[in-house]
Amino acid sequence: CGSHGRNRGNFSCVACGMASLTEDELWAHYPMFHVNHRSLAVECQVCKKHVHNFAVHLRNDHGPPGRGEMEAEAKAVPIYSFSLVVCRHPDGRFLLVQEFSNQGFWLPGGAVDPG
């Protein structure tokens, strides 16, 4: 996906239309402001590939992961440690984590980072 960081200010958000974003600004903007949007099947403005889940594609293939500056989630080394946490408030409410792309709410948990 070739143009990481080169097309400064040429991108716009597919969800809200915010314009003149750099690749890194789009990479940070989309999950911050559109966490509840359903998965979008679109042509990626950055690399021109047709993708079925824009949020995941943007997260893993562009910005710092696309340049190799941090791990992409899909390419991370498998870790077999996992945890779930149930947090209950004294008034009976539970703590839940809201997933991106309007995929629902879940108990906090996930892979345990090594170290």
Side-chain angles (χ1 to χ4, degrees):
C1 292
S3 62
H4 302 288
R6 294 187 197 132
N7 294 328
R8 302 213 35 92
N10 292 335
F11 306 113
S12 60
C13 177
V14 297
C16 70
M18 181 179 234
S20 301
L21 298 171
T22 65
E23 180 180 329
D24 285 357
E25 289 168 341
L26 179 62
W27 185 84
H29 167 85
Y30 194 83
M32 176 68 71
F33 293 101
H34 306 296
V35 68
N36 292 322
H37 287 207
R38 293 208 180 274
S39 300
L40 295 175
V42 297
E43 179 182 90
C44 176
Q45 321 169 39
V46 180
C47 66
K48 306 299 183 204
K49 288 183 179 177
H50 183 76
V51 297
H52 296 287
N53 188 323
F54 179 70
V56 172
H57 170 76
L58 183 65
R59 164 65 180 87
N60 289 330
D61 293 344
H62 298 296
R67 292 189 300 271
E69 296 170 5
M70 65 184 285
E71 288 281 330
E73 290 182 19
K75 299 172 186 165
V77 176
I79 297 175
Y80 299 103
S81 299
F82 189 87
S83 69
L84 284 176
V85 177
V86 176
C87 299
R88 184 174 182 203
H89 193 274
D91 67 8
R93 293 180 297 159
F94 290 92
L95 175 67
L96 297 175
V97 176
Q98 184 176 11
E99 293 292 328
F100 76 94
S101 296
N102 203 21
Q103 294 181 10
F105 293 88
W106 310 95
L107 291 173
V112 179
D113 292 332

